[in-house]
Amino acid sequence: MGNEAFAHAALEAGVNVVAGYPGTPSSELVETVAKLHAAGAAQDVHVEWSTNEKAALEMLAGASYCGARVLFTCKQVGLNVASDALMSLNYVGTGGGCVLFVADDPGPISSQTEQDTRRFGSFAKVPVLDPATPEQGFAMMKAAFDLSERYHTPVIVRPTTRINHASTFFEVAEETHGRPLPEGGFQKDPKWVIFPKRAYEGHGEINRRLAQIAWDYAHDPAFAQFNEVFEGGGEGETIGVVQNGVEGAGASAPAVGIVAGGVSAAYAREALSLIEAQASRAGIPVPRYRFMAVGTPYPFPAETAAAFAEELTDVIVFEELDSVLEEEMLKLTGERHLPLRVHGKLTGEANDRGENTTENIAGRLGRFFDRTSASADSPREGGGTSTCSSNGSLGGTAHWAVPFAAQPAREEVPPPSRCSSETEHGASPDAGCGQAGSLAALVASIIGANNLGYDGPLPVRPPVLCAGCPHRGSFYAVKQALRGREAVLCGDIGCYTLGNAQPLDAVDTCLCMGAGITMAQGFAVAEPGKKQVAFVGDSTFFASAMTGIANAVYNGHDVTFAILDNATTAMTGSQPHPGTGVTLMGERRRPIVIEEVLHGLGVQHIGFANPHSLESSVAAARAAIDFEGPSAIIFRAPCIQLKKPDAPVTIDADTCTGCKKCITSIGCPGIGFDEGLRGPKSGTRGQAFVDTGLCDGCGLCTQVCPFDAIQGAVGFGGAAPVEPTIYAPNPDPFQTGPISGLTFSGEELECGGDAVEEGGAR
Ligand code: SF4
Ligand code: SF4
């Protein structure tokens, strides 16, 4: 997996300290380091999941000041949390190599935004490397440490999901060692203290080093290798690699160019190979073109781009997320007065969001080649009429046969790119025009013939809580406890965001990590007549909720915090956190106890419930909700991924009435409804059935069915039924030292340790 390759690369580069916060698609890097360390293959390295991204980066900054090579990991939104530290760290500068591995998520597949870390790099003035393949990422990771130490700057390595999760083969070192720390350790110096005068000086240093790094990206082979330029296309001419400039290019100079960054460079190369092979068979000429892969988007390697752009009239840019490279090409065009038309997201000729694919880029390249060929064949100021459809394929007057300043017509831009069949597969309106020699038509026919795409309706698969998930009972209990009261239910980031789905319908807002806790307080101020409940998970509690809870206590906001404690960071692959007491260095520490933290923060009412035990959960939720002032209820039951499933329940066909309450109230995927089933009570209405492959035996449905038709649950999700209880302070809450693992009703859980042993992500 790409993330494993990044981990090996960092270890081979002698990284000393690795820290981050879990987040798809980045998580496996830290887990790989932890596994290798546990196996003795990665020596002299410290690895940890930190409480949140800001804590991780600040801890790493300290280690870097001592000369250690440090690696920070997070997903793209995690960098927002760490940004306070990052902005200042760049001004102060680093000691040992400091690399930030920030995984972007075009799509987005598992994130709340499609933000582009290349933009963050330029905002923070931190250099960025953007791999096109896991192999290149492996090389970049090592280069990033060198770059960081050459200029004392943090460096961002920014892969995207398909690089993180791609599989390939690597030769890796059997054993690695962290680089020995410099003698003398941390050297005290005024430069480490960011007074305004130091910040002013630091800003100048940043500006100077960015100019130098842009030069390195263009000319130093260690970095220029990531910005490959080559030429291809043309009849009978082979692709020639044109590294570090365009000298030595083929006989006929191209007029068109392709710029691609990150994984889009790999897609574009594949698309070009596809087009050239098929065009050769069909006897259709492919125009000569020049290609530039940009692996170092910030600072932009302008010298490489200027050499690439020589003599070109049209360039199309492929990149995911924002139009970063396209804007750099436009800037270059303006600065150097180049007679170059730049096409891409801003002109509607590339996906404006979501992921690219080889097929999508092939389709767009076919149209680009057709149009530029038509443009070259037409008089520049020409009129004329198109014989094709509106997109101006061969035979028509292309839209850039108008004066240079005019913008080309916008193409249809698909919504999320991996599901829009028409443009995704290159089957544009012009593709079907049947023009002889049209590359767009050729691409459309290839993709259609090879069934590379799927044009039928996609099955609807709404995200849903797992069968047996304890959060289902928590949401249902709170809704039951609130019956008759107007309320706003604030959710958060994690599995429990799925409480938004019908029929639970228990999450009205979800913004970002920890926001539910504080947003609920805003609702309480603005709408005091309503009750506010904020749901938060155990890992998020430690990452982002505690300051918000302190705010509620300090300002006396009447909100209830529902803490869904399933003993793991479930959504990102069952990582441990401070509440589990398990660390990635193989130690077990006393877990930080959520109720003790709540008590310490001044929350006066702290209740408990087992969410699989419905009646007691509703009672406990009601008690917390009725309390005047900040209150909390901790729903505590393990994630089903951490425990053995119980035997599935059964439905008594003689008792089931077919009322569907088990389905319409809790929405467990373990229960379905068969309209063909018959019974004495259900008549012809049909009956519920249990999917024994999914049912976890949690027993929640047995407590919902009004006719006792569901049977067989043993206990409540593997936990004993509990009476609603209220927290009584531990007389010795701050005892230290190792303890045994966290238990739920006597069963010891791995609490995320399984992620260390088995590699984690589901
Ligand atoms: S199992 Fe119970 S709740 Fe479900 S349809 Fe049958 S009677 Fe209704
Ligand atoms: S016992 Fe009922 S609610 Fe629990 S997993 Fe099985 S079907 Fe779903």
Side-chain angles (χ1 to χ4, degrees), residues 498-537:
L498 302 174
N500 169 260
Q502 297 290 350
L504 292 171
D505 190 20
V507 170
D508 298 321
T509 70
C510 181
L511 186 64
C512 59
M513 290 274 285
I517 295 284
T518 18
M519 287 182 71
Q521 299 167 43
F523 283 109
V525 169
E527 299 188 336
K530 293 180 186 170
K531 180 67 198 182
Q532 286 74 29
V533 180
F535 294 95
V536 69

Side-chain angles (χ1 to χ4, degrees), residues 306-389:
F308 158 83
E310 263 177 38
E311 306 294 328
L312 299 183
T313 61
D314 292 88
V315 165
I316 188 163
V317 183
F318 294 111
E319 56 192 320
E320 288 178 335
L321 302 174
D322 288 348
S323 52
V324 171
L325 302 179
E326 188 178 350
E327 288 167 39
E328 290 290 354
M329 290 304 297
L330 285 167
K331 194 166 107 186
L332 185 84
T333 300
E335 278 174 353
R336 306 195 181 210
H337 306 288
L338 302 177
L340 182 69
R341 289 169 289 239
V342 179
H343 309 259
K345 292 171 184 286
L346 300 176
T347 60
E349 291 161 274
N351 292 350
D352 73 338
R353 69 206 114 122
E355 294 188 289
N356 288 326
T357 62
T358 299
E359 297 79 34
N360 181 282
I361 289 179
R364 293 185 181 281
L365 275 174
R367 296 196 286 282
F368 174 70
F369 285 147
D370 282 355
R371 289 167 170 174
T372 45
S373 297
S375 175
D377 294 344
S378 303
R380 280 255 163 163
E381 294 76 30
T385 18
S386 171
T387 58
C388 194
S389 60

Side-chain angles (χ1 to χ4, degrees), residues 123-388:
F123 170 56
K125 297 192 163 187
V126 172
V128 181
L129 302 175
D130 187 11
T133 63
E135 290 86 347
Q136 191 180 57
F138 192 89
M140 280 181 174
M141 182 63 90
K142 293 180 173 180
F145 280 106
D146 293 339
L147 184 66
S148 174
E149 286 175 355
R150 187 183 292 183
Y151 293 104
H152 299 290
T153 175
V155 175
I156 293 173
V157 175
R158 171 262 192 188
T160 50
T161 309
R162 303 296 165 185
I163 305 294
N164 296 100
H165 291 170
S167 292
T168 184
F169 293 96
F170 275 94
E171 291 282 335
V172 295
E174 285 191 4
E175 186 175 306
T176 59
H177 291 264
R179 196 181 60 170
L181 296 188
E183 282 193 19
F186 174 61
Q187 301 295 311
K188 295 190 180 187
D189 189 305
K191 72 177 183 179
W192 301 123
V193 183
I194 190 162
F195 282 116
K197 181 169 179 293
R198 169 75 195 114
Y200 182 75
E201 290 166 358
H203 197 176
E205 290 163 15
I206 290 169
N207 292 339
R208 285 191 292 280
R209 74 182 176 229
L210 284 174
Q212 185 62 44
I213 291 169
W215 191 93
D216 288 354
Y217 280 175
H219 300 290
D220 183 338
F223 304 104
Q225 62 170 318
F226 303 132
N227 299 318
E228 189 184 4
V229 178
F230 62 83
E231 291 186 356
E235 283 182 74
E237 295 182 53
T238 52
I239 292 176
V241 174
V242 191
Q243 191 63 55
N244 294 326
V246 296
E247 297 83 6
S252 57
V256 296
I258 300 137
V259 174
V263 72
S264 298
Y267 295 149
R269 294 172 85 128
E270 260 184 67
L272 285 165
S273 298
L274 179 77
I275 291 172
E276 289 186 274
Q278 297 297 329
S280 167
R281 276 186 211 126
I284 301 174
V286 175
R288 189 123 185 100
Y289 61 82
R290 193 174 295 147
F291 187 100
M292 179 170 71
V294 182
T296 67
Y298 183 79
F300 188 64
E303 296 301 323
T304 305
F308 158 83
E310 263 177 38
E311 306 294 328
L312 299 183
T313 61
D314 292 88
V315 165
I316 188 163
V317 183
F318 294 111
E319 56 192 320
E320 288 178 335
L321 302 174
D322 288 348
S323 52
V324 171
L325 302 179
E326 188 178 350
E327 288 167 39
E328 290 290 354
M329 290 304 297
L330 285 167
K331 194 166 107 186
L332 185 84
T333 300
E335 278 174 353
R336 306 195 181 210
H337 306 288
L338 302 177
L340 182 69
R341 289 169 289 239
V342 179
H343 309 259
K345 292 171 184 286
L346 300 176
T347 60
E349 291 161 274
N351 292 350
D352 73 338
R353 69 206 114 122
E355 294 188 289
N356 288 326
T357 62
T358 299
E359 297 79 34
N360 181 282
I361 289 179
R364 293 185 181 281
L365 275 174
R367 296 196 286 282
F368 174 70
F369 285 147
D370 282 355
R371 289 167 170 174
T372 45
S373 297
S375 175
D377 294 344
S378 303
R380 280 255 163 163
E381 294 76 30
T385 18
S386 171
T387 58
C388 194

Side-chain angles (χ1 to χ4, degrees), residues 651-652 655-663 665 671-673 686-689 701 704-710:
I651 294 182
D652 180 6
T655 319
C656 176
T657 65
C659 71
K660 294 188 180 173
K661 182 153 190 233
C662 52
I663 293 166
S665 55
I671 301 188
F673 196 82
Q687 293 192 335
F689 69 90
C701 57
V704 168
C705 172
F707 302 100
D708 291 331
I710 311 177

Side-chain angles (χ1 to χ4, degrees), residues 59-71:
M59 187 276 285
L60 292 171
S64 170
Y65 287 8
C66 298
R69 284 196 156 183
V70 301
L71 176 62

Side-chain angles (χ1 to χ4, degrees), residues 342-721:
V342 179
H343 309 259
K345 292 171 184 286
L346 300 176
T347 60
E349 291 161 274
N351 292 350
D352 73 338
R353 69 206 114 122
E355 294 188 289
N356 288 326
T357 62
T358 299
E359 297 79 34
N360 181 282
I361 289 179
R364 293 185 181 281
L365 275 174
R367 296 196 286 282
F368 174 70
F369 285 147
D370 282 355
R371 289 167 170 174
T372 45
S373 297
S375 175
D377 294 344
S378 303
R380 280 255 163 163
E381 294 76 30
T385 18
S386 171
T387 58
C388 194
S389 60
S390 60
N391 277 10
S393 185
L394 276 181
T397 303
H399 47 254
W400 42 77
V402 297
F404 173 55
Q407 286 291 310
R410 295 186 74 82
E411 280 185 11
E412 182 76 11
V413 177
S417 69
R418 297 195 81 83
C419 58
S420 173
S421 62
E422 183 184 65
T423 42
E424 173 78 6
H425 308 140
S428 70
D430 60 349
C433 68
Q435 283 290 336
S438 162
L439 286 170
L442 177 72
V443 170
S445 68
I446 303 160
I447 291 170
N450 289 332
N451 287 326
L452 293 179
Y454 171 70
D455 287 331
L458 293 169
V460 178
R461 285 195 213 103
V464 65
L465 292 167
C466 300
C469 173
H471 298 342
R472 181 172 286 105
S474 307
F475 285 121
Y476 188 67
V478 168
K479 293 277 294 223
Q480 292 298 305
L482 281 166
R483 279 222 299 216
R485 287 186 71 165
E486 266 202 290
V488 180
L489 306 176
C490 297
D492 221 301
I493 304 293
C495 290
Y496 41 96
T497 311
L498 302 174
N500 169 260
Q502 297 290 350
L504 292 171
D505 190 20
V507 170
D508 298 321
T509 70
C510 181
L511 186 64
C512 59
M513 290 274 285
I517 295 284
T518 18
M519 287 182 71
Q521 299 167 43
F523 283 109
V525 169
E527 299 188 336
K530 293 180 186 170
K531 180 67 198 182
Q532 286 74 29
V533 180
F535 294 95
V536 69
D538 42 343
S539 188
T540 306
F541 176 86
F542 292 107
S544 308
M546 292 185 292
T547 48
I549 292 171
N551 190 69
V553 173
Y554 172 49
N555 290 293
H557 296 303
D558 181 19
V559 294
T560 296
F561 307 118
I563 295 146
L564 312 190
D565 180 4
N566 62 0
T568 191
T569 316
M571 188 166 244
T572 49
S574 303
Q575 289 84 7
H577 60 67
T580 67
V582 177
T583 77
L584 291 185
M585 294 299 284
E587 301 149 338
R588 281 182 180 262
R589 305 195 173 279
R590 181 179 189 272
I592 300 177
V593 180
I594 291 174
E595 50 269 36
E596 289 174 357
V597 175
L598 289 166
H599 177 70
L601 289 171
V603 177
Q604 296 295 307
H605 177 102
I606 306 166
F608 300 92
N610 170 4
H612 297 300
S613 175
L614 187 54
E615 198 176 326
S616 62
S617 288
V618 174
R622 195 171 286 132
I625 287 165
D626 288 344
F627 184 83
E628 288 280 329
S631 63
I633 173 167
I634 301 171
F635 290 104
R636 186 162 278 158
C639 172
I640 61 160
Q641 304 292 336
L642 300 183
K643 69 176 196 64
K644 293 190 187 78
D646 289 307
V649 296
T650 57
I651 294 182
D652 180 6
D654 289 340
T655 319
C656 176
T657 65
C659 71
K660 294 188 180 173
K661 182 153 190 233
C662 52
I663 293 166
T664 57
S665 55
I666 57 174
C668 174
I671 301 188
F673 196 82
D674 185 342
E675 293 187 347
L677 290 177
R678 299 285 179 265
K681 299 277 178 57
S682 61
T684 57
R685 273 191 299 275
Q687 293 192 335
F689 69 90
V690 172
D691 183 333
T692 54
L694 286 176
C695 174
D696 189 65
C698 76
L700 185 64
C701 57
T702 66
Q703 301 160 74
V704 168
C705 172
F707 302 100
D708 291 331
I710 311 177
Q711 297 152 0
V714 179
F716 297 93

